[in-house]
Each structure stands twice: as structure tokens, then as C-alpha cells.
Amino acid sequence: MAKWTKDGLLKATNLLEAAALRQAIMPVCACGHSAIFQPHGLWWHFERRHWDDSLGAVRKRFWCTRCQSASRHKVTPQMVDLVSITEAAIVLPLPPDDVWKRVARRMR
């Protein structure tokens, strides 16, 4: 369930809520490298694989490509942040319209 911040705004706790609230996902590594992912496609990616979509579990599914090329092993990001959707976001294949509409109806 989404949480309320001190500013009176809703903050998503999983990918589905982030997609519904139109908040992009940004994993941030200790080295400073980050990327922005479009939430709808990322949610669909996790949903098809039956992975846990809570933000804590999502962080464990990412790794830094820069750190991996330097150290030859996967380094998980320090945190996963929620940001506003930009055009520079990485877009994964989107869910079919009927699937997204059914899930959006359940969220209401």
C-alpha cells in the first residue's frame, strides 16, 4: 500500500504503485551511476517472471554495469529512488492494454 509523506504526497512502495502514480524507477549505485526506467514496462517485466515487485526486492534485481565491467562481479545499487517520468527513461515492452486496464481497475 502506498505511503503518505510528510509533504502530503503519496509514495509508492512497489512497481505497480509507481506505475499507477507515474513515478519512474531510478536505481543509484555507490559509484554514482544511475539509470531511469519507465515504470509500466518494468512492472510488466517483473509480473511476467512472477518476481516480487516491492522496491526492496527490486533493488536486488538490478546491478551496476560500470562496476561490473571494472570488478568483474555484479554490484547491486545502494538504493532505488522514485523520480518523475522523463523521455530519457529506459522503456521496456509495455503490458497489453487489457492487462493494464484490469490491474488499474483493481487499484481503485
Side-chain angles (χ1 to χ4, degrees), residues 29 31 33 63-76:
C29 183
C31 71
H33 183 234
W63 67 86
C64 180
T65 55
R66 290 185 184 170
C67 291
Q68 182 185 17
S69 65
S71 66
R72 306 276 183 201
H73 68 277
K74 294 180 181 179
V75 177
T76 59

Side-chain angles (χ1 to χ4, degrees), residues 22-26 35-39 82-91:
R22 299 185 185 274
Q23 296 175 329
I25 309 300
M26 184 174 72
I36 299 174
F37 289 85
Q38 193 265 355
L82 300 171
V83 296
S84 62
I85 295 178
T86 62
E87 292 189 21
I90 297 170
V91 180

Side-chain angles (χ1 to χ4, degrees), residues 11-66:
K11 183 176 180 179
T13 58
N14 60 38
L15 290 178
L16 180 58
E17 292 170 357
L21 295 172
R22 299 185 185 274
Q23 296 175 329
I25 309 300
M26 184 174 72
V28 181
C29 183
C31 71
H33 183 234
S34 65
I36 299 174
F37 289 85
Q38 193 265 355
H40 299 87
L42 190 59
W43 169 79
W44 183 237
H45 182 77
F46 274 68
E47 183 70 17
R48 285 182 300 171
R49 287 161 177 74
H50 304 286
W51 289 345
D52 184 10
D53 72 339
S54 65
L55 293 181
V58 168
R59 183 183 68 81
K60 296 175 185 174
R61 295 284 181 177
F62 285 105
W63 67 86
C64 180
T65 55
R66 290 185 184 170

